[in-house]
Amino acid sequence: MSEIKNKLWSRNYIIALLTNLFMYLAFYLLAPTLTSYSKQIGGTSFQASLVVSVFSITGLLCRFSTDAICNKMGKKLVIFFGLCILGLTTLSYVFVPIVGVILFRAVQGVGWGIGSTAIAAVFSEIVPEKRRGEGMGYYSLSMIVSMSVATVIAIMVMNKYNFNVIAALSITFVIISVLLLQGLAINKGEKVKNNTVNKKPFSIADVFEKKALLPSFLCFLLAITFCGIMSYIMIYGKEIKMNNIWLYFAGHVVAILITRPFIGKILDKKGHAVVILPGAVSMIIGLIILSYVHSIPTLVVASLFYGFGYGAVQPSLQVWAVNRSPEDRKVAANGTFLSSMDLGFTFGAIILSFIANSKSYAMMYRASSIFMLIFLAVYGYNLIMARKTGNMEDEEEQAS
C-alpha cells in the first residue's frame, strides 16, 4: 500500500510533466525574439525594454494572488485560462503596432503569472511527499529543457524566417498543452475545503508565504546569473566572435539530463545542503570559465559546470520552499518562489546590462558570479545558525 502511495511515475504525473513542458516551450520561444521583433516593427530601445518590464510586473503581481484564485476556481481552470491568455496574446502580436505589443504583453504577464504558478502547485499536490525532491526535480527539468530547446529553435527560426513563424509555433505548443491538460486529474475536494476554511479578511501578508522567503531570496540571487545567460549570451557570442554560441544551451541541457535522475533522490535522502552547496560552487566555476571562453571546447565545459549547478540548485530551492510551508499555503509558497525568479530577471537585466555596457560581457559574467558568492554566504550562515539552535526541522533534515 505504501508503494502505491509513494508512486511517482503515475499517468497523472506524466500528463502534468508534458503539459508543463509544452507550456514552457510556448513561452520560451518568445523570450529571445519578442524584443527583437518589437524593434523590427518600429519600436525604440525603450519600448523594447518595456516589453520585458511590463510582463515581469504584471506576472509578479498576479503570482501573489494566484493562491486565492485557485481556491475559488480550482487549479485546472486557472491553468486553462492562463494558457488561453498566453496563446491569444501571442497571436495579437502579429497584428498590432508596438504600443499594442506592450499592452498585450502586460496582459500576457497576467496569464503567465497565474498559469505557471497554478501548475507548480499541482506538482506540489500530486508528487508523493517522500519523493518530492525527485518529483519536483523532473518538473524543473521540463522547464529547463524547454528553455534550452525553445531558445535554440527561436534563434534559428528568427534568423531564417520571421516572427510570424515563431508566433505560430508558440500557439501550436499552447494548443497541445491545453489538450494534455484535459487528461489531468486534480483533487476537486480541495477547492471546497479551502473555500470554507480561514475566512479572515484579506491582508498583504496573505499574498506571499513567509516560510518560503529564505529559499526564494536565494533563488532571486541565482536568477540574476541565469538572466545573464538567457538574455545576453548571444550578444556575448558576437563580442568574442563565436557564431556557434548557441551550443552553450546544448551542453546546459546535457549536464542537467545526466545529473537530474540522481540529484532528486539525493535531495530526498540526504537533505538540500548536500545538493545545494556543490551545485552553487559548480555554477560559480561555470560563470568564470564562460567569461574566458574563446573556443567551443571551453564553451561546452562552461555550460556543463553551470548546467549541473543550476539543475541541482534551482529545483532543490523550490522543494525546500514548499516543504517548509504549511499544507494550505503550498500555492502561495510556489507563487513566492516563482516571483523571486521574476524579480531576479528584472533586476539582473538592469544591473548586468549596466556592467556589460560600461565594461564588457566577459566582465559581466565574472561580476555575476559575485551574486552566487553572496548566495553561498547567506545559505551557509543559515545552515550554521540552524545547527547551533538545533532547529533542523525546516532545514536539511526536512527532506529526510
Side-chain angles (χ1 to χ4, degrees):
M1 186 73 178
S2 61
E3 291 183 3
I4 296 175
K5 185 178 179 181
N6 293 323
K7 182 181 178 182
L8 175 62
W9 291 100
S10 63
R11 176 181 177 275
N12 212 33
Y13 180 71
I14 293 171
I15 291 175
L17 275 180
L18 291 173
T19 302
N20 192 66
L21 175 68
F22 282 101
M23 175 192 290
Y24 273 84
L25 280 171
F27 169 71
Y28 278 121
L29 280 173
L30 304 175
T33 57
L34 195 54
T35 51
S36 175
Y37 172 68
S38 298
K39 289 187 175 182
Q40 287 180 12
I41 61 174
T44 64
S45 296
F46 174 70
Q47 288 173 322
S49 68
L50 283 178
V51 170
V52 177
S53 59
V54 296
F55 176 86
S56 299
I57 292 169
T58 55
L60 175 64
L61 293 174
C62 288
R63 285 194 195 282
F64 286 138
S65 60
T66 304
D67 190 16
I69 297 172
C70 283
N71 288 340
K72 291 181 179 180
M73 298 175 58
K75 298 184 186 74
K76 189 170 180 177
L77 191 57
V78 171
I79 297 168
F80 174 76
F81 278 123
L83 284 167
C84 288
I85 293 172
L86 176 61
L88 290 173
T89 50
T90 299
L91 178 63
S92 73
Y93 298 147
V94 178
F95 303 102
V96 298
I98 182 60
V99 175
V101 171
I102 294 171
L103 291 175
F104 280 113
R105 184 65 166 165
V107 176
Q108 191 168 68
V110 174
W112 183 249
I114 62 173
S116 58
T117 304
I119 199 166
V122 167
F123 280 95
S124 300
E125 175 187 318
I126 66 177
V127 171
E129 186 175 353
K130 290 187 177 180
R131 300 187 69 178
R132 187 165 281 162
E134 185 182 0
M136 293 299 287
Y138 284 113
Y139 153 73
S140 296
L141 178 62
S142 69
M143 292 190 293
I144 295 167
V145 169
S146 64
M147 177 274 297
S148 300
V149 172
T151 301
V152 173
I153 293 174
I155 292 169
M156 288 183 171
V157 170
M158 197 70 171
N159 288 338
K160 191 172 183 180
Y161 300 103
N162 54 43
F163 182 78
N164 290 1
V165 179
I166 296 289
L169 282 173
S170 179
I171 293 168
T172 300
F173 289 144
V174 167
I175 293 171
I176 294 173
S177 187
V178 168
L179 293 175
L180 287 165
L181 179 65
Q182 306 315 306
L184 186 62
I186 302 175
N187 183 11
K188 296 182 179 179
E190 182 188 18
K191 175 182 169 185
V192 177
K193 176 184 174 183
N194 286 340
N195 278 337
T196 56
V197 179
N198 200 19
K199 290 280 186 179
K200 62 180 182 180
F202 174 82
S203 69
I204 296 298
D206 292 331
V207 301
F208 66 88
E209 173 50 46
K210 62 181 180 180
K211 283 283 190 177
L213 287 179
L214 176 58
S216 296
F217 174 70
L218 294 172
C219 184
F220 165 78
L221 296 171
L222 176 149
I224 293 172
T225 70
F226 191 52
C227 174
I229 301 293
M230 278 294 295
S231 302
Y232 302 118
I233 196 164
M234 294 301 162
I235 304 175
Y236 179 51
K238 294 180 180 178
E239 178 179 272
I240 62 176
K241 297 179 174 58
M242 185 176 290
N243 295 326
N244 295 326
I245 196 76
W246 60 267
L247 286 170
Y248 180 91
F249 294 105
H252 187 95
V253 171
V254 168
I256 294 169
L257 288 174
I258 292 174
T259 59
R260 190 62 255 166
F262 63 84
I263 287 293
K265 293 179 181 179
I266 293 174
L267 176 64
D268 287 330
K269 291 180 180 179
K270 302 293 185 180
H272 52 75
V274 180
V275 175
I276 291 176
L277 287 173
V281 172
S282 182
M283 289 178 68
I284 293 172
I285 294 172
L287 288 167
I288 297 299
I289 295 175
L290 179 61
S291 71
Y292 289 100
V293 160
H294 285 95
S295 66
I296 296 298
T298 52
L299 176 70
V300 172
V301 170
S303 69
L304 291 174
F305 270 103
Y306 188 88
F308 163 75
Y310 185 85
V313 176
Q314 192 272 344
S316 300
L317 290 174
Q318 187 165 8
V319 170
W320 185 24
V322 170
N323 278 350
R324 73 201 313 254
S325 302
E327 279 299 321
D328 62 340
R329 296 287 291 164
K330 300 301 185 188
V331 177
N334 277 303
T336 303
F337 183 84
L338 293 174
S339 295
S340 72
M341 293 198 70
D342 292 337
L343 285 172
F345 262 77
T346 303
F347 179 79
I350 297 170
I351 190 69
L352 295 181
S353 64
F354 175 79
I355 296 171
N357 290 332
S358 60
K359 299 292 184 179
S360 66
Y361 285 94
M363 184 61 70
M364 181 198 72
Y365 286 120
R366 287 169 213 157
S368 68
S369 65
I370 295 173
F371 292 101
M372 289 309 299
L373 290 173
I374 298 172
F375 178 107
L376 282 173
V378 174
Y379 182 69
Y381 176 78
N382 174 73
L383 286 182
I384 292 170
M385 294 305 295
R387 289 181 187 278
K388 280 186 176 180
T389 59
N391 181 23
M392 298 300 292
E393 181 181 358
D394 288 336
E395 310 306 331
E396 61 180 325
E397 287 185 357
Q398 175 77 21
S400 58

